[in-house]
Amino acid sequence: MRLVFAGTPQVAADTLAQLLGHSAHEVVAVLTRPDAPQGRSSRLVPSPVAQLATEHGIEVLRPERARDPQLAARLAEIAPDCCPVVAYGGLIPQALLELPKHGWINVHFSLLPRWRGAAPVQHAILAGDEITGVTVFELVAELDAGPVLATAEYRLGEQETTGEALAALQQLGGQMLLNTLDGMAAGTVTATVQPEAGVTLAPKLTVAEARIDWNAPARRIQRQVLANNPSPMAWTELDGQRFRVLAARAAEPSGLEIGVVRAEKRRVVVGTGDGDLELLTVQPAGRKAVAGADWGRGLREPGRFQ
């Protein structure tokens, strides 16, 4: 089949690489978000999907909006059989959804209908889900509500970050996409309507939401730290400066007041709403990430996070 692949971040580029390396189907173009400013210079940089496509001599379509008439015209000229989607980052209008013979199929990193939206892995970790997974489904106008073509479960580790989970889910999802495309070409794939019960939403996590509330339970904060790693990163304030927490785990209560930091011989702990939180990896303002215990050796007296 002739494919137009839609995606933007690295997780999408990794899936595109699997398609290019292990599929007999032809990727004739990619649809991705426009080049974005990066770094202090705000230099415009192509998305990871655009960079990979360019390396392989594949046409790159990067409209400001998917409703751009020029995009519709170009897709009509290309006439793809199917458009696989992985984290494109924009809504596909109905007119485009109707163009390919086999429609648009999305690789989504949750077990739909749970966690529809832009940040399913983050919300699964934040909620304390033990099981998540991957769903391949037909794209429709309603958010992540299309008929399901394939699913697979994935068990989250107790200290697994969003970044680690996404890497594993991408490998699983990439293989599922390859199998689904082969099945569509052979006419052996069956679509199943999503149930109406059990729908939850997973909007993108904001920097403001990543701020730690030390009044919360320790395990809730632990999940917040994991869910926000690698982006936007859980944070707090110490002496008026932003302080990131990259890894942490709940510990036995020791009577610490909420937000108070205590450096011990081999660890650093903070008081929370129901016990202590051990800081495993931290990043003070203007410094590189370090082990919590190493940072704690520089503390001359107990501090307090705000």
Side-chain angles (χ1 to χ4, degrees):
M1 293 193 296
R2 287 166 54 81
L3 308 177
V4 171
F5 179 90
T8 299
Q10 187 59 51
V11 67
D14 292 341
T15 305
L16 175 59
Q18 284 180 270
L19 268 178
L20 295 175
H22 303 286
S23 174
H25 306 292
E26 180 187 9
V27 179
V28 293
V30 301
L31 172 63
T32 190
R33 301 296 294 161
D35 298 356
Q38 192 174 85
R40 294 181 179 179
S41 66
S42 294
R43 179 173 59 93
L44 291 178
V45 176
S47 73
V49 164
Q51 293 181 47
L52 181 61
T54 300
E55 291 171 6
H56 286 265
I58 297 171
E59 180 179 356
V60 178
L61 308 172
R62 40 190 145 201
E64 289 288 341
R65 295 185 179 183
R67 294 186 179 277
D68 187 334
Q70 292 183 342
L71 173 62
R74 182 60 187 135
L75 285 177
E77 290 174 352
I78 294 172
D81 296 304
C82 184
C83 296
V85 184
V86 181
Y88 167 59
L91 295 177
I92 308 298
Q94 186 64 37
L96 296 190
L97 292 177
E98 296 171 356
L99 274 175
K101 175 183 177 181
H102 293 287
W104 298 62
I105 60 171
N106 192 34
V107 180
H108 187 76
F109 301 120
S110 82
L111 296 175
L112 292 172
R114 186 161 176 79
W115 303 129
R116 292 179 180 176
V121 179
Q122 292 90 327
H123 281 273
I125 293 174
L126 200 57
D129 293 357
E130 294 183 359
I131 302 293
T132 186
V134 179
T135 302
V136 180
F137 68 99
E138 296 178 5
L139 214 59
V140 296
E142 185 181 350
L143 178 66
D144 298 338
V148 172
L149 303 172
T151 62
E153 291 188 351
Y154 176 79
R155 179 172 292 276
L156 290 164
E158 186 177 349
Q159 280 292 113
E160 192 163 9
T161 67
T162 288
E164 292 166 341
L166 272 174
L169 289 166
Q170 184 280 317
Q171 286 295 314
L172 178 60
Q175 187 57 56
M176 289 172 62
L177 176 60
L178 297 182
N179 295 342
T180 301
L181 289 169
D182 289 345
M184 292 176 76
T188 58
V189 172
T190 302
T192 304
V193 176
Q194 288 188 40
E196 295 183 4
V199 174
T200 56
L201 300 180
K204 183 178 179 180
L205 298 182
T206 67
V207 173
E209 291 169 331
R211 183 169 189 167
I212 297 170
D213 177 5
W214 296 103
N215 292 285
R219 290 200 178 277
R220 171 66 173 76
I221 299 174
Q222 174 184 322
R223 296 197 300 268
Q224 181 183 18
V225 169
L226 296 170
N228 284 281
N229 185 340
S231 178
M233 287 295 188
W235 63 280
T236 184
E237 283 191 357
L238 181 65
D239 299 329
Q241 293 187 309
R242 184 168 295 193
F243 185 100
R244 289 176 166 178
V245 181
L246 283 65
R249 64 183 169 212
E252 292 296 320
S254 66
L256 270 178
E257 292 184 17
I258 291 173
V260 171
V261 187
R262 183 177 66 211
E264 300 176 352
K265 189 173 183 180
R266 291 187 176 86
R267 65 175 191 164
V268 172
V269 291
V270 187
T272 75
D274 73 346
D276 291 358
L277 185 78
E278 182 181 355
L279 303 184
L280 302 177
T281 309
V282 299
Q283 186 177 13
R287 293 172 55 185
K288 295 181 179 180
V290 295
D294 292 340
W295 170 76
R297 294 188 185 98
L299 282 179
R300 297 183 180 180
E301 58 184 31
R304 183 186 289 271
F305 288 132
Q306 301 297 321

